Amino acid sequence: MNLLNHSQTNNIQDIIDNIEEQTNLTVPSAVIIPLKQHRTVNLSANDTFEIDVELVTRKKIFKKISIQPAEIENPNLVYKFGTKGVSRLSEDEWDICKKIYHKLSENIDEECVYGFVGAFDNKYIFGDNIISPTSTNTIKNVFFRSPCTIEHASANFFFEKYLPCFKSQTEGLIFLFTLLLSTCISRLGNLGTDRPSFILAVIGRTGSYKTSTVQATLNPYNNENFSVCSFEDTVASIVATLKQSRDMITIVDDFYTNTDREITAKLEKIIRLNGDKSSVAKKMSGKKIVSESSDTITVVTGEQIPKVRFSSIPRMFIIDFQEAVNLQALTELQASQAEFRGALADFIQYTLDDFCIKLRQKFLDHRDSITHHAVPKWHPRYTSMCCWFLAIYDMFCEYCTTKNISFTNISDFPSNIRHYIAEQSKRYLENDSIFIFFKTLKSLCGENKLHTINTSKITNDTPKTDILYSDDYVWIESVNVFAKIKLACQNEGILFDLSRQELYQKLESEKLLITKDNRRSYEYRKGQFRQSVICLPRNNINRYFADDKEDIKLC
């Protein structure tokens, strides 16, 4: 009889004989037999262990219990099995009991329970996180406890069953690429400060199937404890879910009102937790890297575009989900979640080598290209958002190539994603007080309601002028010009509610205002010419003008 299978027999003498045969030790009046070790792997702490054990005496096999490893050093351990029929072992007997226990421990099975999801030690852990030698998963290093069908595990699934769920292929690719990017978050964080830092906001009326689509297309893990929560949950509960979710999509469902301050505060917390990954601090614990923020991409759903703080808007990618779903295809996808997990596992397996290094370099290349060429004047977060989508598109195409799958039918995605983000950036700028300031300034200049002069033409007799300029800088008179812009906005019914000092503070925070001696406004001097001004660098302010190549007319 194999000792490891001794629990299959109730013959005490057979058990004792096998123990003595394998350990070369004489079994005392009682012996504690280790059956199975349970290891809980943690990111932020040392691994913890529990061992299933049995107590066998000459007359009885006691019901198994679980113990901590150190408990075997305590002779009173026998009493954890109950006092009936158990007597304390002598010191010599206990020493032999421990020796037998340690010898048998060398050959017991171990079951790993992962206290997290996502990337770890060149593996990906999803589902309920239990991996044992009996795991039926056939994709190396990628583990789902839920059924995972491998026969269709390739990019074919994404083209044949995933994208048909969406009436807009571009929106389908946005969902797909968000999912694929989410599997790389922690590894990208380990490579440097650049990693996706946006949330996906899926907005649509009740009955638009937005939640059903999000659940079916972005949550194949079948583990709601990690991946799904609601705005009805407490802030602490939502934050805990976001922090324990790694390298996956986390869904926060039903942003149901824009008037409830508590709900809006929750969304702001989510946005900041996801949107500040570029500056997140890291802690080291042995070889384990622990992030202070969320290592997930969060998807929120709601009926209206959230009215969050202005600075939070560029941290969201907004999908206006109006009848955007093919119900028949969605139903088929919902019935094919095992295949979906297989396809995702196949892709993740492809990413385990140097994929994230290449992905990050693609992102940097796209960002350099957009930054240094004549492109729409986006907020930097929109630029970053676009470049991550372009980078994952490039890498997905490489993946398709290795699978001999054609991807020509999605070749228009790069131009389409630029258009999507350009539209969101435009809406953002149209509500930006700085943009309104420069747009009104430009309009007043075009109507000759503001007077300009090149600083090279200033003489001692030059009267005070609204705007001074050179090739590199613009100096704006610090009091009257602001008043004229405020009046123009009021006459046009445009909301411009910043005070002069608030505007100057905001210009400075955006690196659009140059201080002198720590003062935002100061006296410009040339000869006997004197004028109180604020100074703006021309290169920095150009992105606030509507036309790509048009600068403010200053001549």
Side-chain angles (χ1 to χ4, degrees):
M1 182 183 67
N2 188 330
L3 177 63
L4 297 180
N5 295 323
H6 76 274
S7 59
Q8 296 175 5
T9 179
N10 290 321
N11 189 309
I12 293 175
Q13 190 58 49
D14 284 346
I15 294 173
I16 291 174
D17 289 345
N18 275 275
I19 291 174
E20 291 181 341
E21 179 184 340
Q22 294 197 28
T23 63
N24 292 319
L25 294 168
T26 301
V27 174
S29 60
V31 64
I32 295 175
I33 303 173
L35 304 175
K36 191 175 189 177
Q37 177 168 278
H38 302 273
R39 176 198 295 262
T40 299
V41 181
N42 301 298
L43 281 177
S44 56
N46 293 329
D47 296 348
T48 56
F49 300 87
E50 278 194 350
I51 299 102
D52 295 337
V53 296
E54 275 183 349
L55 175 68
V56 177
T57 68
R58 297 288 176 177
K59 296 181 179 180
K60 183 177 180 180
I61 300 175
F62 289 78
K63 186 177 180 180
K64 75 175 181 180
I65 63 171
S66 294
I67 66 170
Q68 303 298 316
E71 289 185 82
I72 194 62
E73 301 301 324
N74 184 355
N76 291 323
L77 175 61
V78 293
Y79 297 126
K80 290 191 71 171
F81 295 88
T83 58
K84 189 174 181 180
V86 181
S87 59
R88 183 183 176 96
L89 299 178
S90 69
E91 186 174 336
D92 289 340
E93 284 183 313
W94 183 245
D95 285 340
I96 295 173
C97 183
K98 288 194 296 180
K99 289 178 181 179
I100 291 174
Y101 175 90
H102 289 304
K103 278 184 174 289
L104 297 181
S105 296
E106 296 173 1
N107 297 311
I108 62 172
D109 286 343
E110 178 179 82
E111 179 180 80
C112 283
V113 180
Y114 287 80
F116 58 91
V117 292
F120 173 77
D121 194 23
N122 210 37
K123 298 183 182 69
Y124 270 75
I125 317 299
F126 291 107
D128 291 327
N129 319 318
I130 299 178
I131 300 174
S132 69
T134 60
S135 173
T136 58
N137 192 334
T138 57
I139 286 193
K140 182 181 179 183
N141 294 336
V142 182
F143 299 90
F144 291 86
R145 191 182 190 192
S146 301
C148 184
T149 302
I150 308 303
E151 62 191 41
H152 202 65
S154 73
N156 270 326
F157 179 89
F158 299 122
F159 288 104
E160 294 173 2
K161 289 195 175 181
Y162 189 97
L163 293 178
C165 294
F166 300 86
K167 292 182 179 179
S168 164
Q169 185 186 75
T170 300
E171 289 186 1
L173 288 169
I174 290 169
F175 272 65
L176 174 60
F177 292 154
T178 300
L179 174 63
L180 300 185
L181 276 172
S182 73
T183 67
C184 301
I185 297 295
S186 67
R187 286 182 296 163
L188 287 169
N190 293 341
L191 292 174
T193 59
D194 300 302
R195 56 182 184 160
S197 58
F198 60 89
I199 72 168
L200 190 67
V202 181
I203 307 303
R205 58 175 175 77
T206 299
S208 62
Y209 297 96
K210 59 183 181 296
T211 299
S212 298
T213 303
V214 166
Q215 288 273 19
T217 60
L218 297 177
N219 182 31
Y221 320 102
N222 194 26
N223 186 347
E224 295 197 355
N225 290 334
F226 279 101
S227 57
V228 181
C229 52
S230 166
F231 279 99
E232 294 284 356
D233 298 335
T234 64
V235 172
S237 175
I238 293 173
V239 169
T241 298
L242 294 178
K243 286 192 173 184
Q244 72 178 348
S245 302
R246 298 174 65 255
D247 301 315
M248 64 191 300
I249 297 294
T250 302
I251 300 165
V252 187
D253 193 29
D254 198 15
F255 182 88
Y256 57 85
T257 177
N258 288 325
T259 58
D260 190 322
R261 291 185 179 181
E262 182 181 353
I263 298 296
T264 302
K266 290 178 183 179
L267 180 57
E268 289 282 3
K269 183 72 174 179
I270 293 168
I271 290 172
R272 300 293 161 171
L273 202 60
N274 281 265
D276 291 329
K277 294 187 177 74
S278 61
S279 60
V280 66
K282 298 267 187 180
K283 290 183 179 178
M284 296 294 295
S285 176
K287 293 184 179 179
K288 301 171 185 178
I289 299 179
V290 184
S291 174
E292 291 286 309
S293 82
S294 169
D295 282 335
T296 181
I297 293 181
T298 301
V299 177
V300 300
T301 68
E303 293 190 19
Q304 302 175 17
I305 296 176
K307 293 182 179 178
V308 294
R309 286 183 291 181
F310 193 76
S311 62
S312 296
I313 294 174
R315 303 165 187 259
M316 296 189 296
F317 189 102
I318 298 171
I319 297 289
D320 192 359
F321 204 75
Q322 301 295 337
E323 298 182 2
V325 65
N326 182 329
L327 284 180
Q328 182 177 350
L330 184 64
T331 301
E332 291 177 3
L333 180 67
Q334 289 171 330
S336 306
Q337 290 293 291
E339 291 181 56
F340 187 4
R341 283 187 285 274
L344 182 60
D346 187 68
F347 176 82
I348 293 171
Q349 183 69 38
Y350 174 78
T351 72
L352 289 182
D353 293 324
D354 58 353
F355 179 92
C356 285
I357 296 173
K358 293 179 180 178
L359 176 64
R360 181 174 181 268
Q361 189 57 53
K362 293 279 188 183
F363 164 78
L364 295 174
D365 291 344
H366 282 298
R367 189 176 66 179
D368 289 344
S369 176
I370 287 179
T371 302
H372 294 103
H373 293 82
V375 296
K377 301 167 181 66
W378 295 341
H379 187 285
R381 288 190 178 272
Y382 284 120
T383 299
S384 176
M385 194 185 299
C386 182
C387 292
W388 280 120
F389 279 114
L390 294 174
I392 193 63
Y393 165 80
D394 291 343
M395 297 304 295
F396 182 72
C397 290
E398 288 188 14
Y399 166 67
C400 290
T401 299
T402 65
K403 299 289 181 178
N404 296 316
I405 295 171
S406 173
F407 52 86
T408 55
N409 60 329
I410 64 170
S411 59
D412 58 352
F413 177 78
S415 60
N416 289 342
I417 192 65
R418 287 186 178 96
H419 173 74
Y420 266 69
I421 292 179
E423 286 297 310
Q424 298 205 18
S425 181
K426 180 181 177 182
R427 288 199 300 269
Y428 167 76
L429 285 175
E430 285 174 349
N431 293 283
D432 183 359
S433 53
I434 294 179
F435 178 78
I436 292 170
F437 171 77
F438 284 117
K439 183 178 180 180
T440 307
L441 181 72
K442 176 182 175 182
S443 175
L444 292 175
C445 287
E447 297 169 7
N448 294 320
K449 294 181 179 179
L450 292 177
H451 302 290
T452 66
I453 186 172
N454 192 303
T455 54
S456 64
K457 298 180 180 179
I458 292 177
T459 67
N460 291 339
D461 298 326
T462 299
K464 290 187 176 181
T465 307
D466 296 314
I467 300 173
L468 320 174
Y469 66 93
S470 68
D471 290 341
D472 299 320
Y473 300 100
V474 175
W475 293 268
I476 299 176
E477 190 276 329
S478 61
V479 179
N480 294 328
V481 171
F482 176 83
K484 291 179 181 180
I485 289 174
K486 193 89 169 177
L487 180 61
C489 289
Q490 182 179 337
N491 291 339
E492 294 293 327
I494 298 172
L495 179 63
F496 183 70
D497 55 359
L498 293 183
S499 69
R500 182 161 54 91
Q501 292 304 321
E502 287 173 336
L503 173 66
Y504 295 166
Q505 181 179 7
K506 192 169 184 180
L507 287 170
E508 182 185 4
S509 68
E510 295 290 333
K511 296 183 172 54
L512 300 172
L513 184 149
I514 299 174
T515 61
K516 183 177 182 180
D517 299 328
N518 293 322
R519 298 178 62 185
R520 297 188 182 108
S521 63
Y522 60 88
E523 190 174 63
Y524 179 92
R525 300 182 179 187
K526 184 177 180 181
Q528 296 185 22
F529 178 84
R530 302 285 188 275
Q531 182 164 309
S532 179
V533 297
I534 57 173
C535 179
L536 314 179
R538 289 186 69 161
N539 284 341
N540 290 8
I541 68 175
N542 284 345
R543 68 185 171 101
Y544 284 91
F545 295 101
D547 301 321
D548 288 354
K549 296 182 180 179
E550 184 174 358
D551 197 352
I552 186 170
K553 286 192 173 183
L554 297 171
C555 57

